[in-house]
Amino acid sequence: MQVDLFTQVIVPVIGGLGIFMLGLEFMANGIQSLAVTKMRNLLARLAGTPAKGVLAGTVITGVIQSSTAMTVMVVGLVNAGVVGLRPAISVIMGANIGTTLGNGLIALPLGPLGLLLGGLFALVYIFAKSDKVKNIALACMGFALIFYGLNLMTGGLRPLRSMPEVMSAISGLNASTFGGLLACVVTAALITALIHSSSATIGIVMGLGASGVLDWQTAVAFSLGADLGTTITSWMASLNLSRNAKRAAYAHISFNIIGVLVTIPLFFISMDVLRWAMGWFGGDPGVPVVVSGRETYPLVPVAIGIYSTFFNIFNVILLYPFIGVFERVLSRIGRDASEDVEDYSTPKYLSAGARAELPSALLAVQQEIARHVQASTLFIDTARGVPTAPRVPAEHHTALDILNRDIRAFAASLFAPNLSARQAEQVASLVEEADIAANLGDMLHQVARRIQREEFAPEAKPVVDAMLDGISRKLSTAMAPGQAPAPAAPAEVEGNALIAALRERTLALYAVPPDQRGAMLALLGSAERVFQAVDRLEAERRSVPRVAAVPASARPASPGMGLEPLPAE
């Protein structure tokens, strides 16, 4: 049968790859827009420790029967900032075990099911009125499209498996020698990388072994290569994602590579052990059984399943003690000075102990808000290209969004029936201040993002620099908690005058292309909203007395530190 490479291979492979990547993007965006704090707490209970992570990865992958989908999902969660690198490594370890627990389900038609579910969740997303329902539908639609994309790629490459040249190359391999073993492992890894499913490769090898095309030892060697080739999907999934998401994919790759490299020298010894163990499951897998006048080898699939399961269990036992080493080594990959900044996604002051008494809780919220504002100012360093600044504004913005949700949740939890009117007013004002701080961070993120994606002409750069200088001055003069209220009018007038002057200079830059001048005017609009957010922040801090000032000599350098809340009524 003649294969049309364009319509039967190229079109579905490229189309499937695009749908796969789009599904990953939808899933990550939906997860990130949901209740991130609640999801993080849930995942912390499932994968808070390496042992729980391995167990969670094993059980979940055993249910969904796809280590590829599980690994891609973990990479997406890491990219969304929901799962850290350390628990992700342990979950991926468990996923390798889970996928071997149900090789009998490898023929399950997940691709058509993915298209059906993708269509259903797309309809839910379009007609839903609630943002929460929309985000859930978006995440589910993305996950379904991942399956469908993988199915398209697999279908596009299926004609290659029926070509005589391909089959003759496979049947010509033999794992009776060390060189032949390496050839089998590499071939199986390449096939798995093409069809994006180790389970599908193992299913094909089981059929080839059971029919006698491959001897049982060669078929087992192919299953070893399938575990190596399945890592290509997680690598592809991480191509356009954050550095930590890439590191999670690299953990999957390095975990399987190390396991295969350790197992290859032990392969022939393990074959003797497997032959002995097969005595408990029916006998020697190399002995044929005649069915309808034809020799078959029904025990070969059993041998492959047992070997694949114990290989992954052995791999986890071998590498589990080194999860911390994996994390430290992988954290250095792609690292630059921007990663030396503090991790702002985790609260520093909102501890359980701070919640015990209202004064300490109020102080903790103020300190955390001051920390959030200070972190937001790093966007200006990013816009200026400072080496130690966050390199990717979106990643830093995600961390600040998670932090702000924690701040607002903590502050809202302080409302209690026994609060006096004055205390309730203090708590309410802090909730409002946290919301204004989030708005300020959004505006600064917008400034950094716009500057990063635009290439300004030399004549325009002085205007952009003057705007950044003005924002920096505005942020530096913002009233820190505990300071005496400062008059707002002079700062307001200065900010308005600066924006007006810079706008006039921009309009006079006739040598600058119109699209750049338009971008500069939009940038000045963002800067104006930054000034307004700072003014609102200062006004809110003046509106309700919250803290008593500490003498300057006793005040620490960090903003918001060393402040004592007003006595409770």
Side-chain angles (χ1 to χ4, degrees), residues 86 188 213 324 352:
R86 187 183 184 93
V213 176

Side-chain angles (χ1 to χ4, degrees), residues 163-174 183-184 187 191 208 213-214 218 222:
M163 295 174 67
E165 298 85 355
V166 176
M167 294 307 297
S168 63
I170 293 177
S171 60
L173 295 170
N174 191 289
C184 291
T187 301
I191 293 173
L208 294 174
V213 176
L214 295 177
T218 303
F222 266 70

